[in-house]
Amino acid sequence: MALIPLLGQVYQPPTLRWTKDHPIDQVRGNLSSGIKTRRQSGNTCLYVNFISENEPKEIDDALRDPAWVSAMQEELAEFIRNNVWLLVPRPRKRTIIGSKWIFRNKLDEIGTIIRNKTRLVAQGYRQEVGIDYDETFAPVARLEAIRLFLTFAAHMNFKVYQMDIKNAFLNGKLNEEVYVAQPPGFVDPKFPDHVYKLNKALYGLKQAPRAWYDTLSTFLLSKGFVRGKIDSTLFLKKYPKHILLVQIYVDDIIFGSTNPKLCEKFELLMKSEYKMSMMGELTFFLGLQIKQSEKGIFINQGKYVHEMLKKFDLTSLLFQIQVLINMHTIGE
């Protein structure tokens, strides 16, 4: 092979090495489980080149993995987009709240890893009442409320859809003056002693859920929605012949209407204000697996049962339960 001149130097291609066996310490999974084909691996093959299967315990481990570095950069990009904070000199006589990275693999309803998700969380235990926060209470939809919502949808024969607000808490406006330290692994080399002054809420702050709920509810009320008198996480908007219902559970929103076009309008409305992802028809929510059809709405908790059986080492019952679920599905 010819030598390639590069910037006045001579480049020598590296010597190729061949080994008979792959190092055991680099093999993932159970060695005794055998080899899986692409068909057996299911949709895991769609993500394996872009997603890490391991959840780092320390920031140093995450910084060595390109998949997690990309996830952290994506999180910080949202901070810039939402104008969450401003880098300022460290103030005197003010508590500087620390921050920490949380690493989680996001799973779908059957337990397949679909995304590496990072969250920069403030160490809210260092906040002081009356200085760093006041109100902290935020209403959260109860499971009974979700069941009633689905019952009404089945009765009125309309589809229920789901959307997810990306980094919802970062949209919550703060009324207090709060400072946080620069995130581990991403300290500005020019201003290492500076801190961030928060304009909006950060996950981990005691007032973060309240700030997000107030921001979202204010937006919906300004667009003609009415808040439920009993359930304050339920919002509805009445039209001459139709109705649009919206149920909020922190950053997850389910909604439906007797007129499908109103659902499309609501999606556009939310996208105009927040960065969100439309997840289509509701299939999985708060541990409930949901199937919507012309015959009605069917609910089961197969995934939850599966996890409980594995937790208590009762996996011998998994096959029998799967057979029952399949029989129920066929019967529909």
Side-chain angles (χ1 to χ4, degrees):
M1 183 179 292
L3 299 179
I4 303 174
L6 180 63
L7 297 179
Q9 298 180 354
V10 177
Y11 170 74
Q12 178 65 44
T15 302
L16 297 178
R17 296 182 179 181
W18 177 85
T19 57
K20 179 179 179 182
D21 299 314
H22 191 74
I24 297 298
D25 59 347
Q26 295 184 22
V27 176
R28 291 183 176 179
N30 187 357
L31 296 178
S32 62
S33 62
I35 299 175
K36 288 185 177 182
T37 64
R38 294 182 180 179
R39 182 179 297 274
Q40 291 171 331
S41 299
N43 60 356
T44 302
C45 295
L46 297 175
Y47 310 107
V48 69
N49 292 328
F50 310 99
I51 295 178
S52 174
E53 297 180 2
N54 301 318
E55 293 181 352
K57 301 299 181 183
E58 303 293 339
I59 179 64
D60 292 338
D61 297 331
L63 291 174
R64 287 192 289 267
D65 191 327
W68 287 108
V69 171
S70 177
M72 288 187 284
Q73 291 174 335
E74 182 182 353
E75 173 83 348
L76 294 177
E78 288 300 311
F79 285 32
I80 298 174
R81 188 184 69 84
N82 285 323
N83 190 29
V84 172
W85 55 18
L86 178 66
L87 191 63
V88 298
R90 183 182 295 265
R92 295 182 179 181
K93 298 181 180 181
R94 292 287 305 189
T95 300
I96 307 302
I97 301 170
S99 58
K100 178 181 179 181
W101 287 103
I102 302 296
F103 307 99
R104 291 288 182 270
N105 284 328
K106 194 169 183 180
L107 311 177
D108 62 10
E109 63 272 14
I110 62 174
T112 301
I113 300 174
I114 59 174
R115 181 186 175 194
N116 294 141
K117 190 172 184 178
T118 64
R119 186 75 75 198
L120 183 65
V121 178
Q123 297 173 335
Y125 60 85
R126 299 193 59 185
Q127 291 182 267
E128 299 181 28
V129 182
I131 299 178
D132 299 314
Y133 72 95
D134 291 312
E135 291 290 336
T136 61
F137 172 77
V140 178
R142 295 172 59 89
L143 186 59
E144 293 81 359
I146 304 301
R147 290 180 178 273
L148 286 173
F149 190 103
L150 296 175
T151 301
F152 182 76
H155 175 70
M156 299 299 294
N157 193 28
F158 64 76
K159 294 283 187 180
V160 180
Y161 301 92
Q162 181 179 10
M163 64 173 60
D164 175 72
I165 307 295
K166 191 173 181 64
N167 294 310
F169 283 9
L170 303 184
N171 295 286
K173 298 177 182 178
L174 287 181
N175 298 319
E176 302 84 10
E177 189 174 342
V178 182
Y179 297 89
V180 298
Q182 296 188 52
F186 293 87
V187 177
D188 192 322
K190 295 182 180 179
F191 306 100
D193 295 327
H194 280 40
V195 296
Y196 281 108
K197 180 181 178 182
L198 295 182
N199 300 318
K200 296 182 180 178
L202 198 65
Y203 284 85
L205 292 181
K206 293 183 179 296
Q207 69 268 46
R210 178 75 183 190
W212 162 240
Y213 172 80
D214 287 344
T215 300
L216 179 58
S217 60
T218 299
F219 173 71
L220 292 177
L221 294 174
S222 68
K223 299 302 179 180
F225 284 84
V226 177
R227 183 166 24 209
K229 295 182 180 179
I230 298 177
D231 183 1
S232 55
T233 64
L234 177 66
F235 293 82
L236 58 92
K237 189 172 184 179
K238 293 183 179 180
Y239 295 85
K241 296 183 179 181
H242 298 281
I243 186 173
L244 173 63
L245 297 176
V246 178
Q247 186 85 55
I248 299 171
Y249 185 85
V250 191
D251 56 351
D252 288 315
I253 297 177
I254 63 174
F255 61 99
S257 174
T258 51
N259 184 351
K261 292 184 178 180
L262 296 179
C263 292
E264 296 176 4
K265 287 186 177 181
F266 179 70
E267 178 186 352
L268 294 175
L269 174 67
M270 295 299 293
K271 285 183 176 180
S272 67
E273 185 71 12
Y274 304 106
K275 187 175 182 180
M276 47 151 288
S277 58
M278 187 64 186
M279 304 172 69
E281 291 186 17
L282 182 64
T283 58
F284 185 73
F285 195 69
L286 298 184
L288 300 177
Q289 291 172 254
I290 302 160
K291 182 177 181 180
Q292 304 182 63
S293 69
E294 296 179 355
K295 298 180 180 180
I297 299 178
F298 300 88
I299 302 174
N300 73 79
Q301 291 186 280
K303 182 175 181 293
Y304 173 78
V305 173
H306 187 281
E307 292 174 350
M308 289 298 100
L309 290 175
K310 290 182 63 177
K311 179 179 179 180
F312 295 102
D313 196 22
L314 296 172
T315 52
S316 60
L317 297 176
L318 289 177
F319 177 74
Q320 299 178 28
I321 292 176
Q322 187 62 47
V323 170
L324 292 175
I325 293 176
N326 291 338
M327 291 177 61
H328 176 72
T329 303
I330 295 173
E332 295 175 4

